[in-house]
Amino acid sequence: MQATLGSEYVSFVSALEKEPPVSIRLNPQKGLHSPATYSAVPWAERGLYIPQRPVFALDPRWHAGAYYVQEASSMFLEQAWKTIAGSLDAKPVVLDLCAAPGGKSTHLASLLPQGSLLVSNEVIRSRAQILTENSTKWGRGNIIVTNSDPQDFGDLESFFDVIVIDAPCSGEGMFRKDPDAVKEWSEANVHLCAERQHRILADVWNALKPDGFLIYSTCTYNANENEQVLQWLTENYEIKGVEVVVPDQWNITVSSTRDINGYRFYPHRTEGEGLFMAVLQKTEGQERSFRKPKKPTWLKAPRKEVEIVSGWIQERDDWEWLRWQEKMVILPAGMYAHAEQLAQHTRIVYAGVDVAEIIRDQANPLPALALFDDMNPRHFAVEEVDLEKALRFLKKEDIALETGKGWKLIVYQNIPLGWVKQIGHRANNYFPNEWRLRMDWREVEKLLTDPITFLEV
């Protein structure tokens, strides 16, 4: 770093000794906005710096996907996307290959045009479950979560318009935020990470369409995992760099490798952690159409069943209505064939939106529907709750409601949280057990006197 930064090295070390900034990204579909006194993340339209780190677990809006706690530098993905968006099909198919816990995937899900498809992959099964939870709570309905090795995508030739790879790395950019990253660092690990990055890129290269785009990033500083990886790409594949225009006042450092720009974030120059990102375009190969699978994974939902639940969705014609086991599932219209092709080569964990459980012509709403942007709240009885009841609901405890009967949508500050089924004064809580608030309730009670007010409705 001394060799790289020269006279700036002292400022760099000083920055690493300071507390990292706290930043969030608002969900554009869920109605929150920033107080005027908050600073904006310059390269992300809905990114915000917040003055201190609250207890996010005590904010029901966080559980509902109204915002995502994300490191500010990584939101630069938005500028990469805006640079290439005009060159893409109207409904692109995108792969976020190393996606957990979901920061870049939820960001992409908001940036993609209506009807697009995002495949969000995580190779580690436990992390794929976290990715599924965050993707579901974000509520866009255009994500398929997979739990597959990168090489599984290799047979999907010319399948993706864009591939985003936030590659596993040595994590130097997280040193001040994650003490374990310091303990795990070694020169040997740097070289191991670089070899892994080569393998990942080689495994998925075939799946990128000719003229498609690769967005490559790491959260590390060394050239072995950044510029040298780009050099390796130019030596093995036909690619060209794509320039992202960045204003000088953003203080992003631009490096160049064989006419490919890399964009470096240093904590003494930008308000965020370490990041490297580059945008590339594939200039080789011929586009191939994929084959129709012999045996479908999903069945098209019977019209009779669709009619039972179609009123639950505001724009029913925007979606494919499918049957998966006992569930009614929707995917963006026109993406059924893509989903079927994915199912032949990857392990799908979650797809689109689980709308309802269908049993003997009876439909029960599922948790994902409550969090879905296109859910029709006018179709259900709505119960607005205060902070304490909201937290009790998220804790999966019983909450007292007015007398009534049937399904009710629990809402906090006009943001849906989930379902209860009321029978008289008793309401069965259908918030997913694996998502429940685990903080000790006595501690929660103590903190209820200081509700989180750092965002406005």
Side-chain angles (χ1 to χ4, degrees):
M1 293 308 299
Q2 284 181 306
T4 300
L5 294 173
S7 61
E8 292 186 53
Y9 177 73
V10 174
S11 298
F12 169 75
V13 172
S14 177
L16 292 180
E17 294 171 350
K18 297 176 182 178
E19 286 293 317
V22 183
S23 50
I24 64 172
R25 179 172 40 77
L26 300 182
N27 189 330
Q29 303 297 321
K30 298 204 176 184
L32 295 184
H33 62 271
S34 165
T37 54
Y38 282 17
S39 299
V41 175
W43 42 85
E45 185 177 345
R46 294 177 178 85
L48 299 172
Y49 296 105
I50 60 177
Q52 58 187 0
R53 191 177 190 88
V55 184
F56 290 113
L58 296 185
D59 186 356
R61 300 168 299 180
W62 174 72
H63 291 272
Y67 60 92
Y68 193 98
V69 184
Q70 185 178 17
E71 197 282 307
S73 298
S74 65
M75 298 183 202
F76 186 66
L77 176 63
E78 183 169 318
Q79 297 303 314
W81 178 263
K82 288 180 176 180
T83 299
I84 64 175
S87 302
L88 298 173
D89 292 341
K91 296 180 179 180
V93 180
V94 179
L95 171 64
D96 184 3
L97 185 66
C98 311
K104 288 184 174 64
S105 280
T106 54
H107 201 171
L108 285 165
S110 293
L111 293 170
L112 264 60
Q114 180 71 28
S116 305
L117 184 66
L118 172 63
V119 180
S120 187
N121 181 70
E122 172 54 45
V123 67
I124 300 172
R125 182 168 297 192
S126 60
R127 286 169 57 82
Q129 296 302 322
I130 297 169
L131 174 61
T132 297
E133 177 181 344
N134 288 330
S135 300
T136 304
K137 289 178 175 179
W138 200 248
R140 296 298 294 138
N142 58 351
I143 302 178
I144 293 179
V145 178
T146 56
N147 172 218
S148 297
D149 190 272
Q151 66 183 357
D152 295 336
F153 293 92
D155 291 334
L156 292 164
E157 190 171 0
S158 299
F159 193 84
F160 297 103
D161 299 278
V162 181
I163 296 179
V164 177
I165 301 178
D166 188 24
C169 67
S170 56
E172 296 161 357
M174 295 289 113
F175 274 7
R176 69 173 172 179
K177 193 174 181 180
D178 182 6
D180 288 337
V182 180
K183 297 175 185 177
E184 293 170 2
W185 189 92
S186 69
E187 272 193 85
N189 191 41
V190 168
H191 294 296
L192 181 66
C193 287
E195 291 173 2
R196 184 187 297 126
Q197 290 149 7
H198 292 173
R199 180 184 72 82
I200 289 171
L201 287 161
D203 283 344
V204 301
W205 188 252
N206 196 46
L208 184 63
K209 289 180 179 179
D211 297 321
F213 295 91
L214 170 70
I215 301 175
Y216 176 82
S217 65
T218 71
C219 59
T220 205
Y221 299 118
N222 69 79
N224 304 67
E225 301 175 68
N226 296 321
E227 286 87 355
Q228 289 181 24
V229 170
L230 301 186
Q231 181 174 333
W232 174 85
L233 275 169
T234 64
E235 292 168 354
N236 289 275
Y237 304 99
E238 295 180 24
I239 61 172
K240 65 179 182 180
V242 177
E243 182 181 1
V244 180
V245 177
V246 293
D248 292 342
Q249 59 266 33
W250 289 0
N251 292 318
I252 297 168
T253 302
V254 181
S255 66
S256 184
T257 304
R258 297 194 177 186
D259 297 324
I260 298 174
N261 284 349
Y263 301 89
R264 285 177 163 268
F265 288 68
Y266 292 116
H268 67 292
R269 303 199 75 210
T270 59
E271 193 173 355
E273 303 308 296
L275 177 83
F276 175 90
M277 186 173 287
V279 184
L280 316 166
Q281 186 172 24
K282 184 176 182 178
T283 58
E284 63 183 10
Q286 293 182 341
E287 188 167 342
R288 306 286 179 88
S289 58
F290 49 82
R291 297 177 182 174
K292 185 178 180 180
K294 295 178 180 179
K295 185 178 180 180
T297 301
W298 291 281
L299 300 175
K300 294 292 183 76
R303 178 174 295 182
K304 178 182 177 182
E305 294 184 356
V306 173
E307 290 302 321
I308 295 172
V309 299
S310 62
W312 299 5
I313 306 298
Q314 297 191 67
E315 301 294 340
R316 60 173 286 179
D317 293 337
D318 289 345
W319 305 94
E320 301 267 13
W321 293 81
L322 308 172
R323 195 76 148 79
W324 171 247
Q325 297 175 349
E326 299 295 331
K327 294 185 295 187
M328 180 75 74
V329 177
I330 56 173
L331 289 170
M335 291 300 172
Y336 173 71
H338 292 79
E340 284 291 4
Q341 188 70 10
L342 278 165
Q344 307 304 309
H345 298 280
T346 66
R347 180 178 180 267
I348 293 180
V349 179
Y350 186 82
V353 181
D354 286 350
V355 174
E357 183 181 40
I358 308 289
I359 302 176
R360 294 187 296 275
D361 294 333
Q362 294 293 316
N364 299 323
L366 291 172
L369 176 66
L371 302 163
F372 178 44
D373 294 339
D374 278 352
M375 183 267 296
N376 182 6
R378 295 184 297 275
H379 192 89
F380 300 96
V382 174
E383 185 83 18
E384 179 80 33
V385 296
D386 60 16
L387 178 61
E388 180 176 351
K389 280 188 178 180
L391 291 172
R392 288 187 180 277
F393 172 78
L394 295 168
K395 189 76 172 172
K396 205 169 169 61
E397 296 182 354
D398 292 334
I399 56 175
L401 301 176
E402 296 295 325
T403 187
K405 185 178 180 181
W407 292 99
K408 283 191 174 182
L409 180 66
I410 301 300
V411 170
Y412 173 74
Q413 293 191 0
N414 207 36
I415 299 174
L417 300 178
W419 307 103
V420 298
K421 190 172 186 181
Q422 191 168 1
I423 306 171
H425 290 286
R426 182 169 63 87
N428 294 330
N429 188 333
Y430 280 82
F431 193 71
N433 189 56
E434 62 273 20
W435 296 357
R436 73 188 186 282
L437 175 63
R438 289 174 171 81
M439 183 174 288
D440 183 81
W441 185 250
R442 288 167 297 181
E443 183 181 0
V444 174
E445 288 280 16
K446 180 179 65 177
L447 293 171
L448 279 177
T449 57
D450 184 25
I452 297 168
T453 57
F454 67 93
L455 292 169
E456 298 172 353
V457 179

